[in-house]
Amino acid sequence: MELSYVQTTCPYCGTGCSFNLVVKDGKVVGTAPYQRSPVNEGKVCPKGLYSHEFINSPDRLTTPLIKKDGKFVEATWDEALKLIAEKFKTFKPDECAVLSSARVSNEDNYAMMKFARGVFKTRHIDHCARLCHASTVAGLANIFGSGAMTNSILDIAQSKCVFVIGSNTFENHPLIGRKIMTAKANGAKVIYVDPRKTPTGKQADLFLQFYSGTDVCLLNGLMQEIIKNGWENKEFIEKRCNGYEDLKSEVMKPDYSLENVSTVTGVPVEDLKTAAEWYAKSGATAILYSMGITQHTTGVDNVKSCGNLQMLTGNLGRPGTGVNALRGQNNVQGACDMGALPVVYTAYQKVIDPAAHKKFEDAWGFPDGIAEGKNGYEVTVMMDVLTDKPGELKCMYIMGENPMISDPDLTHVEHALKSLDFLVCQDIFMNETSVLADVVLPATCFAEKDGTQTSTERRVQMWRKAQDPPGEARLDWQIIADIAKAMGYEKQFAWKSAEEIFTEMASLTPSYAGMNYERLNKPEALHWPCPTKEHPGTPILHGEKFGMPDGKGLMTAISFKYQTERPDAEYPFLLTTGRCIWHWHTGTMTRRSENLEREEPTGWVEINPEDAKALGIRNGEMIKAISRRGEIQITARVTDTIKKGVMFIPFHFVECAANMLTINALDPIAKIPESKACAVKVEKIQGA
Ligand code: SF4
């Protein structure tokens, strides 16, 4: 039997690499390079290389499952759809909530958004962007008028100074890490700011090992040093920004002298001085950040501080510059663009704007209207409402998400989900969340569907179907449409293909209006905004002006605040969480990949050798990690790559779930949880 090759886009991180799926006898059996993508030029990281391994796992869900007497029983689609439609109709609109997904396509997300607002008529729709880059969306929109990565992946290679803060790029966005290395080979300085000397840190010219949560203090300190030396870009500030005097009055406070900043952050004064000089004088400095910046109760402040530093030094709107938020999941940018958020329709058209509300209501044509034009609950708030206000939320429909591993304080999340009257989960595998459901629906993975996803750099690329779904599994958008039709909304969900959904979506979405499948069906695809059919797309934002009403960026005075829970006598260590190169998020896909699971079969806690010695803990020893929320047993990894007093746990692993320990404290604006900083203690296991 001959092999065939189907070009598609990686289902894992937000880089958006392309490769071929290798198909034999109608089944995907491997991956092969696709050389023509400008993003990755035929290269992939291990996750991309082995991305075929979970597709035909025997664990795939193949039939609908209905829970009867506490056990799942196989059901027909007709039975499942009838039950779901009957139950969904019993709830009032705002008793229902929807979690859409950063893993599925734009078309699936658009369908879910339309379902939430048009069928449930609920305001409460969100997805896991809340847990990763909600601070970016809110922070950058507030200062630049657009909440997305400003530049493209390709032009990182043109930077003269790459400042990476709170991103382990080499492990979590490896093909973006490759662009950093190209910049370095061309003479750029690489500055790395993180609590851990990760593989990214090992390639840096300057490593600032700071305490998690002290980002604003460090960034304000760099800005003070830049202003003191007259290195700020006066022309850029004058012509293109508002708010400079406010910013200056804050950052010039004695609190941000380099001596004070050094005390708070743990970074030597000389290194701070060097960083400020390299940063300001390079001519083209790019900031790259990820969840080390965003997952804090000061996440929005951290994001705005990155923007302040780039405006101060005039590093925006040109190749090699920009505020480059590296988004974690393959389509987290797209899920936000599609309006899978409680405050916007597609392209960030506000639900509280009567004109936007009317536009969607008129276009969709639901005879009984759509959800009222008021903001809804974020996923983190939904969980709090479920536990704190019994009876307010009663029903939830979750597509492709696993909050029972991904969300903070898992005991709290379990309590919340168990208090629902009715829970429907739609996924490709049974996971820690779907076991709690009343009905589980079998969905399709990236290799079984056509569609689009939008990478971290706003590049909208295609998925292409390579094999049929297993058993009776159905396309996500098709399942949503089937439920809607069973509830009486035939006309509004009459799509016959993903392309028809894209066409409808683009007609309502200004930044995608010039896109169609024909234009996207080429290696370089298109970056949004692409407002007309003739528009070439926009790899770099803010070239001439910002997206603010007066076209100017807004510099903002941000004062430093510590995280919610600091180490103390009882819980003396600062815990930070993150990911590793071999696994992705809650592990549902990568842990079913033989090659990836073999590399990293379980989690670990990183402990500095001095701390380990004081505690009498040996490398490889099983210990207890304990916070005020819970405890786990986990293997100690004693390493000098982590700062003394700090510990790190990757969050992928259910058997030692980091989120048993994390705190459900939220940024007041973005409602993102503080996954990057809480207090823990560790103990030896007696008798071990
Ligand atoms: Fe996939 Fe990201 Fe790896 Fe590229 S870098 S192959 S998109 S996981």
Side-chain angles (χ1 to χ4, degrees), residues 204-331:
D205 298 290
L206 181 62
F207 173 42
L208 311 184
Q209 190 165 29
F210 77 145
Y211 290 112
S212 182
T214 59
D215 309 69
V216 166
C217 185
L218 187 139
L219 295 167
N220 279 355
L222 295 182
M223 285 188 260
Q224 182 178 113
E225 181 70 4
I226 288 167
I227 293 170
K228 267 187 180 168
N229 285 284
W231 296 331
E232 73 274 24
N233 188 328
K234 295 179 183 67
E235 190 185 346
F236 187 90
I237 295 166
E238 173 69 26
K239 278 193 185 154
R240 301 213 38 201
C241 305
N242 292 319
Y244 175 62
E245 290 306 322
D246 284 350
L247 172 72
K248 187 176 172 186
S249 67
E250 177 64 34
V251 302
M252 296 312 284
K253 286 178 179 169
D255 300 9
Y256 308 115
S257 70
L258 292 192
E259 291 69 27
N260 279 342
V261 171
S262 178
T263 304
V264 172
T265 63
V267 177
V269 168
E270 281 311 309
D271 288 351
L272 292 165
K273 276 188 182 168
T274 305
E277 184 165 5
W278 286 1
Y279 194 110
K281 292 167 90 174
S282 80
T285 296
I287 284 190
L288 275 58
Y289 75 77
S290 195
M291 279 159 262
I293 279 286
T294 59
Q295 286 180 328
H296 291 280
T297 45
T298 56
V300 172
D301 284 354
N302 293 350
V303 168
K304 286 184 177 178
S305 293
C306 291
N308 280 339
L309 189 49
Q310 286 298 62
M311 286 188 273
L312 185 72
T313 52
N315 279 303
L316 284 154
R318 296 181 283 123
T321 66
V323 177
N324 299 292
L326 306 183
R327 308 205 62 164
Q329 303 206 53
N330 57 320
N331 198 32

Side-chain angles (χ1 to χ4, degrees), residues 10 12-13 15-17 44-45 47-48 174-175:
C10 183
Y12 288 122
C13 89
T15 305
C17 298
V44 287
C45 79
K47 283 194 284 288
L175 271 293

Side-chain angles (χ1 to χ4, degrees), residues 75-76 100 115 156 161 180 195 238 272 350 353 382 411 485 523 528 549 566 596 622 675-676:
T76 64
S100 201
F115 183 94
I156 292 168
C161 176
I180 299 175
E238 173 69 26
L272 292 165
K350 291 188 169 75
D353 174 4
M382 289 176 198
T411 307
K485 287 172 189 168
W528 68 254
R566 295 178 66 190
L596 299 173
M622 188 65 101
S675 308
K676 287 288 190 266

